[in-house]
Amino acid sequence: MRAAMLILFAVLLMGQRDPILVPEVSQHEIHVRQGFTGTELLLFGAILDPGGRAAGNQYDIVVVLKGPSEPVRLREKERFAGVWVNAASSDFRSVPSFFAMASSRPVSDIVDDKTAAIYEFGTDYIQLSPSGVIDPVEQARFAAGLVDLKTRQQLYKQDFGGVQVSEQVLYQARISLPSSVTTGTYTAETFAISRGRVIASALAEVEVKKVGFERLIADYSQEWSLIYGLFAVFLSVGMGWAAGRLFAMI
């Protein structure tokens, strides 16, 4: 029985024709410390057939880098009596703190809209998971506004043609992370696509963490939030009083 199972398993392996992605990233850990101005990640790897040889067919590559998800409430400002006030709002349960997509060609030339939406191939296809009851038109408007805001903050980006593929074997893409990135686990997913179909994918992780004095402050603010808040208030008041006394002496 065991011998028959081994033979069947070998036959299945021999029949496997889809390529294998071997992904890697230039940094698996990014340390955020004082003076951090951002960094650049290199996502690279190889496309191989099941036998370990270079894949001979023509493939497109898409890479998607996503940061930790977080709930977001987006408020719309409205001018009332000469003052800007909060008006309508919309809640989103799961918003990527960072999103970047790079592809070897424009996504519209690689896959159809349905496939692009399933795998989030671009900022137009980010799954934001809105919560509550809201008119679909208003929901789409708020979602577009959120993506636009994140894009202007350099936290959402896409680069059609940002993936270079060499001899249908090696691929690489460079994605920059700004200084304002959120700490946590980032996922870098690579997709191999042929004739409009995703035929292989692979995942790598990058950990963004605070180190040194910044990590100490972050840990203290979470574990002793009340004391940290009171200390911040007293520090602000003390610095304001000291500045006032200093200017009074000049």
Side-chain angles (χ1 to χ4, degrees):
M1 181 66 179
R2 181 178 297 179
M5 291 294 294
L6 289 175
I7 293 173
L8 177 61
F9 184 66
V11 170
L12 290 175
L13 285 180
M14 291 175 63
Q16 174 68 33
R17 294 185 178 182
D18 289 340
I20 300 171
L21 282 170
V22 184
E24 189 54 271
V25 293
S26 56
Q27 303 177 66
H28 284 281
E29 283 192 359
I30 296 175
H31 293 165
V32 177
R33 49 171 54 90
Q34 186 176 6
F36 178 74
T37 58
T39 188
E40 184 180 72
L41 272 180
L42 174 63
L43 284 65
F44 61 97
I47 316 167
L48 305 173
D49 71 8
R53 298 179 298 275
N57 295 331
Q58 297 292 317
Y59 300 104
D60 282 294
I61 297 293
V62 177
V63 296
V64 177
L65 178 65
K66 295 173 65 176
S69 295
E70 55 192 6
V72 169
R73 168 168 289 181
L74 189 67
R75 296 185 182 275
E76 187 177 43
K77 295 289 187 179
E78 187 176 85
R79 196 175 184 84
F80 178 77
V83 180
W84 288 101
V85 297
N86 291 328
S89 65
S90 181
D91 293 325
F92 298 89
R93 292 190 303 270
S94 181
V95 177
S97 57
F98 181 86
F99 179 92
M101 187 281 304
S103 57
S104 54
R105 288 191 297 155
V107 170
S108 59
D109 295 340
I110 300 175
V111 295
D112 56 26
D113 286 341
K114 181 180 179 180
T115 303
I118 292 173
Y119 295 101
E120 297 181 282
F121 287 166
T123 55
D124 291 337
Y125 304 105
I126 300 176
Q127 299 173 12
L128 298 173
S129 302
S131 61
V133 179
I134 186 172
D135 179 73
V137 176
E138 284 293 289
Q139 179 178 300
R141 187 170 66 87
F142 273 101
L146 177 57
V147 171
D148 178 68
L149 176 63
K150 293 281 190 180
T151 300
R152 286 187 278 111
Q153 294 172 342
Q154 298 184 344
L155 294 173
Y156 284 6
K157 57 189 69 178
Q158 56 188 7
D159 185 1
F160 303 121
V163 178
Q164 286 77 48
V165 182
S166 303
E167 302 297 331
Q168 290 299 305
V169 180
L170 304 176
Y171 68 88
Q172 66 171 7
R174 297 182 182 274
I175 297 177
S176 59
L177 277 69
S179 59
S180 57
V181 292
T182 301
T183 57
T185 302
Y186 286 61
T187 58
E189 193 162 9
T190 305
F191 302 89
I193 302 166
S194 178
R195 298 178 181 176
R197 185 173 67 93
V198 175
I199 55 178
S201 64
L203 190 70
E205 292 187 346
V206 178
E207 193 72 24
V208 178
K209 59 177 66 176
K210 292 184 177 180
V211 296
F213 183 71
E214 287 73 18
R215 180 178 180 180
L216 179 65
I217 294 296
D219 292 344
Y220 188 81
S221 66
Q222 293 179 359
E223 295 179 9
W224 305 91
S225 56
L226 178 60
I227 298 176
Y228 176 81
L230 292 174
F231 176 76
V233 171
F234 287 135
L235 181 62
S236 299
V237 173
M239 292 183 66
W241 177 84
R245 296 289 297 176
L246 179 62
F247 282 108
M249 295 173 59
I250 297 177

